[in-house]
Amino acid sequence: MKKLTLLGNITPTEFLRNYWHKKPLLIRQAIPHFKAPLNQAELFCLAERDEVESRLVTHFNKKWYLQNGPFNQTHPLPATSKKEWTLLVQGVNLHHQEADALLRQFNFLPEARLDDLMISYASQGGGVGPHFDSYDVFLLQAQGRRRWQISAQQDLSLLDGLPLKILRNFRSEQEFILEPGDMLYLPPQYAHDGMALDECMTYSIGFRAPTFQELGEAFLQFMSDTIDLPGRYADADLKMTKHPAELSKAMLEKIAKELKKVEFTKEDITVFSGEYLSTPKHSVFFDLPKKPLSPAKFLLAAKKHGIHLALKSRMLYCSKTIFMNGESFEVDGVDSKLLVQFANTRALKGDSLALASMDMQETLCLWYEDGWIHLSDNHSS
Ligand code: SIN
Ligand code: CO
């Protein structure tokens, strides 16, 4: 397999075998001559927006403090000349084309596992303190220098009474200074502490790993929409009781017999997983086309210029089931080939589109109206 610069001199297969979930990897110049797609001013602008999740961590006078955004004139960020603060902006890929393109460089990993690109800005001395994350993370240095101290320590106990997770006993085992373009991979639960040596920006490529509890609760919710139990409780054989408050064995047996009819198939799990994993986060709102074209005009333009997924769209598939932003449907023949290609590359060329069935073309019109897809080239509306 082709070697990627992104992982230094190792292939994705070697990375997955030797490092993923196992041990840290420092990749010097993962992206040589890296130029951060977003500068500090653009990041601060994003943090002003209501629909963008942002947090401010300060460590003034040795006290940790956390505030949620947005940060604007009425709720300003500290001056950049003031030391020891960090702004964290989540989901930058949902709002910025180049940030999305950067995240897509990690597509040797399944999209269902990729979460988002978080960007942090830290003033000199800033950081979020020694902690661990529950997910794998790639920390790409985008601007300035950051000193990372890391540790495989088992003691992950946290300090009490703080607004953020800070390790009680962090003992650094290794230390690296990252410059722009350098990247550090950390497995889940690996203790780390990053301190800005200069004003700096760090890009975190984060992963998604739902807890089994979360999956179980969501699955039961999903099943509640799909179960079909006809009939109603009945007891033609009812006997007189001397204990009116008692739940009888007969009643419980009848209920158990009916409830045992609830079963889930492999297909239920596939549909649930695809819908669940393709559902955008609660905070996501799609941008509707400003002046939507009529379906006929949209299709004409789409066949000429092609289409692409909106940055906020999540599209997955499993065999012939397509999942788009939490919805699922079955497709056949050429539509299946086209939609699988669309999901993998997030774009479709106009001439491919011309092969789509009427059903698929109608669906594309609806997706366009909902802001889930856009026309390519200069047709951004
Ligand atoms: C940061 O960028 O300041 C925090 C990233 C992390 O430690 O996961
Ligand atoms: Co972290």
Side-chain angles (χ1 to χ4, degrees), residues 7-21:
L7 296 173
N9 288 323
I10 60 169
T11 63
T13 307
E14 284 165 334
F15 169 74
L16 290 171
R17 190 177 53 228
N18 301 329
Y19 297 94
W20 178 251
H21 263 40

Side-chain angles (χ1 to χ4, degrees), residues 20-44:
W20 178 251
H21 263 40
K22 297 169 197 77
K23 58 182 181 190
L25 175 66
L26 172 68
I27 308 143
R28 291 281 178 206
Q29 291 306 288
I31 306 186
H33 317 293
F34 180 60
K35 200 178 158 297
L38 261 91
N39 60 30
Q40 174 200 314
E42 286 171 297
L43 187 70
F44 288 11

Side-chain angles (χ1 to χ4, degrees), residues 43-44 47 52-60 63-72 75-80 82-90 118-123 126-128 163-164:
L43 187 70
F44 288 11
V52 178
E53 194 186 325
S54 58
R55 285 165 296 157
L56 169 68
V57 175
T58 55
H59 193 220
F60 303 148
K63 270 205 149 88
W64 291 108
Y65 198 59
L66 172 73
Q67 291 173 67
N68 289 315
F71 300 98
N72 45 35
H75 186 208
L77 291 169
T80 51
K82 190 156 171 75
K83 291 184 180 170
E84 295 202 43
W85 64 270
T86 299
L87 168 71
L88 302 148
V89 183
Q90 212 73 52
M118 179 187 84
I119 302 187
S120 70
Y121 161 86
S123 68
V128 298
L164 54 164

